[in-house]
Amino acid sequence: MATTVLLAALVSLAAVLYNPIALRVKVLGVSRGFGTIANIHGEELRVIPDTLYCEDLHHHLPSGLLFGASEDNADDRWKWFPPITVFDDPTALGHGTIVVIDPKTFTATRLALANFPGPFVTHGIDIYSPPTDPASVYIFAVNHLPNPAYVAAPHARGLPAARSRIELFHHTIGSATATHLRSIYHPLIRTPNDILALNGTSFLVTNDHYYRSGLLRDYETLGWEALAPWADLIAVTVSDPHAANDSAAVTAAIARKRIHNSNGLGRGRAPGEVLVIDAAAGVLVVVAQLDPFRFSGSVQLPCTLDNPSYFADPFAATTGRDASGYVLAGLAEAVRFPKGDNPVMVWLVRPAGTADAKGKPEWTQTLIFQDDGKVLRSASTAVLVAIDPEENGGKKQAWLFVTGPISLGVVVSRVDL
């Protein structure tokens, strides 16, 4: 009897776990490693110089420019970069900067950082312009610095290796500099990944993991929401935007807890809509409202994801077809990241206008770009910039800008919508 009960329990457990595990195998790209990744490059593929390791990009609509954070050399990332658990040399710190990309000339300007000697180990960023002053840009950027206590005693038990913080800069469109206003640290900011600026002094930031390293971090990554909902979303406000001490005048609170691998953040299609990415599970989570929290829906993609963006088609009315949608970049074979070539995918996700049997909205998922890792070594963010059909032979197209944390440059391609 006991054997029968145990066997029944094991069968039940296998039935419960089969679908989630099969989905994880698919999303992580285990099976794709046995085939070939066909390149879907669109037209006029090119790489923008001086955009090394841009993990994040944002489109500043008033100016039409793109903003990102870029490293200054390719070697330091492989000596110190906490997001991929590289802690080998806490003295090998990058001196990155903010880059501004002109989507018409496909050139990048590396801004001089005034009042900021560095180091600057770049990752996620966001930008904010006051509605009354669109030429004024506040830039929030993650900076993965080492913990001074760890540097002094690297073999001491229990000391976190990193003491990551957020840097706040101000830039005026047309200038060649960004002025550092202050650094922002709070104990709740543990493993920061991406930022969503709410205004010039407050923002949301994701902690992508609870565990900073080790087997439990691996379990956290490989799990899913039911097994490892240990990440969170933090709301931060600074009351003094010029404080010299990075902990001064900083308040923070958990805006949302019990999230799996909360990674990228983005703005959605409606005012107040926030996009949160469960990176390793390949899920876009759409939040209609933060306070109080109101969940809108989620979309499962077939690969891992990172920083989301939303493309609002400016030519929907004139062309009679709306191509607006969520733009999602990710890894086709994440199981081997960050080593070697990492094939990438970029998806355009739009409402299908239908619902499934349970009444949930259905979505169309269009693969608009794919690379075998030879041109683009990783993909964490993608942004679409529309092309005027009147200047493009009537074609419905956009320039796609896509990049990642170990990409040697931002890749640009003309894609159909």
Side-chain angles (χ1 to χ4, degrees):
M1 179 66 178
T3 302
T4 303
V5 171
L6 178 60
L7 180 60
L10 290 174
V11 170
S12 298
L13 180 63
V16 169
L17 293 179
Y18 175 79
N19 286 337
I21 291 176
L23 181 59
R24 300 298 290 116
V25 169
K26 177 181 179 180
V27 169
L28 292 172
V30 175
S31 60
R32 294 189 188 104
F34 298 99
T36 57
I37 300 293
N39 290 327
I40 304 172
H41 282 164
E43 305 170 19
E44 300 184 50
L45 185 72
R46 67 190 77 190
V47 180
I48 299 177
D50 298 323
T51 56
L52 176 70
Y53 297 163
C54 272
E55 194 271 347
D56 201 2
L57 282 177
H58 290 277
H59 191 192
H60 184 253
L61 293 176
S63 67
L65 301 172
L66 302 177
F67 284 76
S70 170
E71 288 294 333
D72 62 337
N73 74 75
D75 295 330
D76 289 343
R77 179 134 298 185
W78 304 106
K79 300 174 184 177
W80 175 267
F81 194 53
I84 54 175
T85 64
V86 176
F87 305 106
D88 296 345
D89 186 356
T91 66
L93 303 178
H95 284 74
T97 191
I98 304 300
V99 294
V100 180
I101 297 173
D102 186 333
K104 295 181 179 179
T105 63
F106 308 110
T107 57
T109 299
R110 298 181 68 85
L111 299 182
L113 302 181
N115 194 35
F116 185 71
F120 188 15
V121 183
T122 63
H123 198 177
I125 76 162
D126 198 18
I127 56 177
Y128 171 80
S129 286
T132 57
D133 187 11
S136 179
V137 184
Y138 291 90
I139 305 166
F140 295 85
V142 174
N143 188 5
H144 291 293
L145 298 178
N147 180 2
Y150 172 82
V151 175
H155 301 294
R157 293 179 60 87
L159 283 179
R163 184 185 183 275
S164 301
R165 66 188 189 188
I166 311 302
E167 310 295 351
L168 174 57
F169 300 92
H170 181 267
H171 169 72
T172 300
I173 296 296
S175 74
T177 63
T179 300
H180 185 250
L181 301 181
R182 66 163 296 169
S183 301
I184 303 165
Y185 172 78
H186 191 278
L188 286 178
I189 303 174
R190 303 183 315 276
T191 56
N193 187 300
D194 201 12
I195 300 170
L196 182 71
L198 302 176
N199 52 50
T201 56
S202 62
F203 58 92
L204 301 173
V205 59
T206 53
N207 285 312
D208 57 26
H209 288 79
Y210 179 81
Y211 292 97
R212 299 171 186 260
S213 61
L215 291 176
L216 282 173
R217 181 185 173 100
D218 294 338
Y219 172 84
E220 191 175 359
T221 301
L222 293 173
W224 53 90
E225 188 175 25
L227 290 184
W230 302 333
D232 51 24
L233 178 65
I234 307 299
V236 183
T237 299
V238 295
S239 56
D240 181 356
H242 301 283
N245 186 315
D246 64 5
S247 300
V250 178
T251 58
I254 299 174
R256 188 69 177 175
K257 58 183 179 181
R258 294 188 60 79
I259 307 174
H260 176 256
N261 198 202
S262 51
N263 198 298
L265 285 172
R267 294 171 183 81
R269 53 187 166 172
E273 185 178 272
V274 175
L275 311 178
V276 185
I277 292 294
D278 180 342
V283 177
L284 165 68
V285 178
V286 182
V287 179
Q289 182 178 292
L290 277 172
D291 188 17
F293 187 90
R294 185 159 60 88
F295 174 76
S296 177
S298 63
V299 187
Q300 176 69 62
L301 277 292
C303 67
T304 61
L305 303 174
D306 208 315
N307 305 320
S309 67
Y310 184 75
F311 171 68
D313 185 357
F315 303 108
T318 57
T319 61
R321 183 168 66 85
D322 190 354
S324 301
Y326 303 107
V327 187
L328 305 171
L331 302 175
E333 297 177 16
V335 68
R336 60 177 180 172
F337 178 80
K339 298 179 180 179
D341 297 327
N342 292 273
V344 306
M345 293 175 161
V346 180
W347 299 86
L348 180 60
V349 176
R350 291 172 284 194
T354 57
D356 63 15
K358 296 182 179 180
K360 294 182 179 180
E362 294 180 312
W363 304 83
T364 63
Q365 302 180 17
T366 305
L367 185 63
I368 59 173
F369 184 91
Q370 186 166 262
D371 182 70
D372 60 7
K374 303 299 183 184
V375 174
L376 188 62
R377 291 172 55 189
S378 61
S380 56
T381 189
V383 173
L384 285 172
V385 178
I387 301 172
D388 189 341
E390 291 188 1
E391 301 173 0
N392 192 40
K395 295 179 181 178
K396 188 86 168 177
Q397 292 184 318
W399 290 110
L400 172 70
F401 296 78
V402 57
T403 182
I406 58 171
S407 301
L408 299 180
V410 175
V411 170
V412 188
S413 174
R414 185 197 298 257
V415 298
D416 294 324
L417 298 177

